[in-house]
Amino acid sequence: MPLAGGVWRVAPLQGEMTQSFLSRVAARYGVGLRDLLAAIAEVGGLSNVTGQTRLDSEVYLNQQARDRVSQLCRVPEEHLRQALPAWAQEEPRKRFAAGPAAQFHHTAEKVVPWGPACPECAARSAGRAEGARLYLKPQQRVCALHRRWLMQVPGTAGRVVRLPTDFLHLSPRRRRRH
């Protein structure tokens, strides 16, 4: 939702990865994720961002960077903390002694299983169609509201798959046969 002066309010999805959320914020402002993080974690004209951006990464922010993100997206930090599981999970390493900082991680020990968000739920949250990634356990990979199976299925090129109308009403045994 646009606010005065070209400022956008971007709300997170419940359970969304911080990197996914920041990618959506960056897209709203027409910049790349790395550029957004460089601005958020800027210290004396230098970027305080460590690590590499990958699809399977998560990004951790220190308190000063989290404050800047909260101001930028116009969402109170408490809401971000509740919606984003990794929001305050870990303090990142810093290049500089003081100031905001961000760090990417992409190891299985740091980044728990994730999957795509339901496209309709993401669009409803953002006010437009855009991809998002959530932390998902195997039993959470169905959006009952929109009847979407949130898994990468062979032959779908990684797209989210619409389920048959009656699929969610089948017993677990009958579902396995599908």
Side-chain angles (χ1 to χ4, degrees):
M1 130 184 4
L3 302 173
V7 176
W8 293 94
R9 181 180 190 283
V10 181
L13 297 169
Q14 188 63 41
E16 188 170 8
M17 296 178 72
T18 304
Q19 178 175 317
S20 170
F21 172 66
L22 292 175
S23 294
R24 294 188 312 110
V25 172
R28 278 313 247 181
Y29 284 97
V31 299
L33 173 62
R34 197 75 185 184
D35 295 329
L36 176 73
L37 284 173
I40 289 170
E42 181 267 327
V43 177
L46 300 172
S47 175
N48 202 6
V49 179
T50 59
Q52 296 296 314
T53 310
R54 294 182 5 183
L55 181 62
D56 62 345
S57 297
E58 181 57 291
V59 64
Y60 298 99
L61 307 172
N62 70 355
Q63 186 60 55
Q64 290 168 298
R66 291 190 300 262
D67 290 343
R68 287 184 177 184
V69 170
S70 178
Q71 291 171 358
L72 179 66
C73 67
R74 302 297 193 256
V75 175
E77 189 182 347
E78 184 56 36
H79 290 113
L80 295 171
R81 183 182 316 278
Q82 290 171 358
L84 305 171
W87 181 250
Q89 179 178 331
E90 179 178 319
E91 285 293 309
R93 285 191 316 259
K94 306 183 207 185
R95 290 183 180 173
F96 312 112
Q103 180 179 9
F104 287 98
H105 286 285
H106 53 265
T107 62
E109 298 83 41
K110 296 278 186 185
V111 182
V112 297
W114 56 272
C118 171
E120 285 91 349
C121 290
R124 187 175 61 193
S125 169
R128 65 185 196 155
E130 56 187 21
R133 293 181 312 281
L134 307 174
Y135 289 109
L136 295 172
K137 296 174 184 159
Q139 69 272 21
Q140 296 174 307
R141 293 184 181 253
V142 172
C143 176
L145 179 64
H146 296 109
R147 299 185 186 289
R148 295 276 184 180
W149 185 14
L150 307 174
M151 299 186 109
Q152 293 184 349
V153 179
T156 65
R159 292 185 305 268
V160 175
V161 177
R162 180 167 293 285
L163 296 170
T165 305
D166 62 346
F167 183 82
L168 296 175
H169 302 291
L170 297 176
S171 70
R173 186 183 325 169
R174 287 186 60 204
R175 260 187 230 152
R176 278 193 294 269
R177 282 190 253 157
H178 268 26

